[in-house]
C-alpha cells in the first residue's frame, strides 16, 4: 500500500516560518505530481501548491511569494517551505500524490498536519 507520511507542522507566530515534508512509501515509482492542500475548520479544502515530476509548479494566489514547493523524485518526497506566515494560513495541511500507469490513475492523501499561526 502507498502511504504518505507528513511532518513539520506546529505553532508559529505571525511572520514566522515553517517547513513541511511528505514522503511517499510503498511504491516503486515516483509520483507524477505531488501537491499540498489545506483545510480550515468550516471551510472547503483548497489547493495550496502543486509540482510535477518535471518541476513545474503552481501556487494559490494567497500564498504566492511566501510559500515554495519542491520535491526530490529519488526520495519520493515533496516539501513546502512557508515564510511570512499569517493567521489566515492556519489549517490542517494535507499532502497529495498522483500516480499514473497501466492506463489508470491513483491518488493518495497524507494524514494531515496542523499548522497554527497565532500570537
Amino acid at each position: 500500500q502507498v502511504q504518505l507520511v507528513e511532518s513539520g507542522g506546529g505553532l508559529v507566530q505571525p511572520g514566522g516560518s515553517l517547513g513541511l515534508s511528505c514522503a511517499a512509501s510503498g511504491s516503486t515509482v515516483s509520483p507524477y505530481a505531488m501537491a499540498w492542500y489545506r483545510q480550515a475548520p468550516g471551510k472547503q479544502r483548497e489547493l495550496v501548491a502543486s509540482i510535477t515530476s518535471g518541476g513545474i509548479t503552481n501556487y494559490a494566489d494567497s500564498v504566492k511569494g511566501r510559500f515554495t514547493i519542491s520535491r526530490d523524485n529519488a526520495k519520493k518526497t515533496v516539501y513546502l517551505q512557508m515564510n511570512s506566515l499569517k493567521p489566515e494560513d492556519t489549517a490542517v495541511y494535507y499532502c497529495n500524490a498522483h500516480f499514473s500507469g497501466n492506463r489508470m490513475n491513483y491518488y493518495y492523501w497524507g494524514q494531515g498536519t496542523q499548522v497554527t499561526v497565532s500570537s
Side-chain angles (χ1 to χ4, degrees):
Q1 295 184 17
V2 173
Q3 288 187 317
L4 303 181
V5 180
E6 304 177 27
S7 62
L11 174 65
V12 65
Q13 294 185 344
S17 299
L18 281 176
L20 305 182
S21 177
C22 173
S25 64
S27 175
T28 60
V29 298
S30 181
Y32 163 71
M34 302 186 79
W36 289 96
Y37 289 75
R38 67 186 181 187
Q39 186 169 25
K43 297 184 178 180
Q44 296 184 15
R45 186 171 299 186
E46 64 175 347
L47 176 66
V48 177
S50 64
I51 184 168
T52 69
S53 60
I56 300 174
T57 60
N58 187 55
Y59 296 92
D61 289 340
S62 60
V63 306
K64 286 182 178 178
R66 300 188 298 120
F67 291 10
T68 301
I69 189 171
S70 61
R71 66 184 287 171
D72 185 325
N73 291 335
K75 296 181 179 180
K76 303 172 186 175
T77 300
V78 64
Y79 308 92
L80 185 68
Q81 180 62 45
M82 304 182 292
N83 299 324
S84 302
L85 283 162
K86 305 175 181 179
E88 49 263 45
D89 295 318
T90 296
V92 177
Y93 284 69
Y94 296 92
C95 176
N96 176 268
H98 173 198
F99 294 83
S100 64
N102 198 29
R103 301 179 299 171
M104 293 181 289
N105 293 285
Y106 305 87
Y107 300 87
Y108 300 92
W109 290 96
Q111 80 280 9
T113 185
Q114 177 70 46
V115 173
T116 301
V117 184
S118 176
S119 59

